[in-house]
Amino acid sequence: MSEEGSTGQTDAAAPRLYLRPLAQGVAAPLDPKQAHYLSVVLRLPPGAAVLAFNEADGEWVARLARARRTDWSLTPERKLAPPQRLPDLWYLFAPLKHDRLDYLAQKATEMGVCRLMPVLTERTHRQRLNIDRLRANAIEAAEQCGLVSLPEVVETAALGDVLSRWPPGRTLIFCDEDRAGGDPLRDLAAVRRGPLAVLVGPEGGFSPRERRQLRALPHVRPISLGPRILRADTAAVAALALVQAALGDWGTATPQVTD
Ligand code: SAM
């Protein structure tokens, strides 16, 4: 996609923003941060082409317009792509400190998870979590990596409650530091394709009780992430990359489905 807009700017070079709702010919107002980014940081003039997308309306070429000095909007002109259906992969994680949590939400989104699920474990330090901030990080990553979708961000829940309500048919891949030294690919070879979830523990790891509880559940598959103990945010990226390559949309067997 590289057609020229009225300003001579190409679609491919256009900045990309998450915005909703989007409908052809209907001006969608920008929030002050988005307006500042386009008009001040990027110095785009009215009429410039911007790519706008969301998980419900897909991706559009839109035109920038200004009603008053600070009131900016985007009007979708041409649809480029329908919404994407993300791989059916949930990511369960124990909340970490702010900057590492930002990183974690961004990387999990880039890795293609469809749901971000903060869980409280016995050794979780952070009990309060800013869901809006998690979502803002997911949006930033989706804008950057070309997703025409957005993972759902759910409220924090205790690990025990999540496990007691676990849906039938979804395999939970449990990253178990006690299995360090094992072979992750061999562990994953025993996991069947289908709805999946990945669980990574907090800085302090899982307690023996949690580990026993997890290992006793029939839908839980413990895996190793290699010979070294990884930081929780590193473990997240490693685990999701392994799972996407072995069972998800990095392989050819389960291409990304579009609606
Ligand atoms: N218990 C450890 C400690 O405090 O030294 C470390 C926990 S580790 C920082 C955080 C989480 O990353 C673990 O609970 C586990 O889910 C995952 N993890 C890290 N390294 C791993 C490995 N080699 N194999 C499996 N999981 C790992």
Side-chain angles (χ1 to χ4, degrees), residues 175-177 180 200-206 223-226 228-232 235:
C175 299
D176 183 359
E177 65 270 24
V200 174
E203 286 99 333
F206 291 100
I223 68 161
S224 160
L225 294 176
R228 288 166 290 279
I229 299 295
L230 307 176
R231 264 174 47 154

Side-chain angles (χ1 to χ4, degrees), residues 82-96:
Q84 264 171 342
R85 196 177 303 155
L86 293 172
D88 194 354
L89 174 60
W90 296 355
Y91 172 46
L92 282 70
F93 58 97
L96 307 173

Side-chain angles (χ1 to χ4, degrees), residues 162-254:
V162 173
L163 294 178
S164 68
R165 294 192 300 261
W166 197 255
R170 181 174 297 274
T171 303
L172 176 57
I173 297 169
F174 159 42
C175 299
D176 183 359
E177 65 270 24
D178 259 20
R179 231 178 140 78
D183 178 343
L185 291 174
R186 202 176 49 219
D187 290 343
L188 286 172
V191 177
R192 66 177 166 78
R193 291 180 187 277
L196 294 173
V198 169
L199 169 65
V200 174
E203 286 99 333
F206 291 100
S207 71
R209 200 187 66 83
E210 286 169 331
R211 189 167 288 110
R212 273 197 307 277
Q213 186 187 12
L214 281 158
R215 283 172 167 269
L217 296 170
H219 48 265
V220 171
R221 296 281 174 277
I223 68 161
S224 160
L225 294 176
R228 288 166 290 279
I229 299 295
L230 307 176
R231 264 174 47 154
D233 43 359
T234 315
V237 179
L240 293 171
L242 281 164
V243 169
Q244 286 290 48
L247 299 159
D249 72 356
W250 285 17
T252 49
T254 51

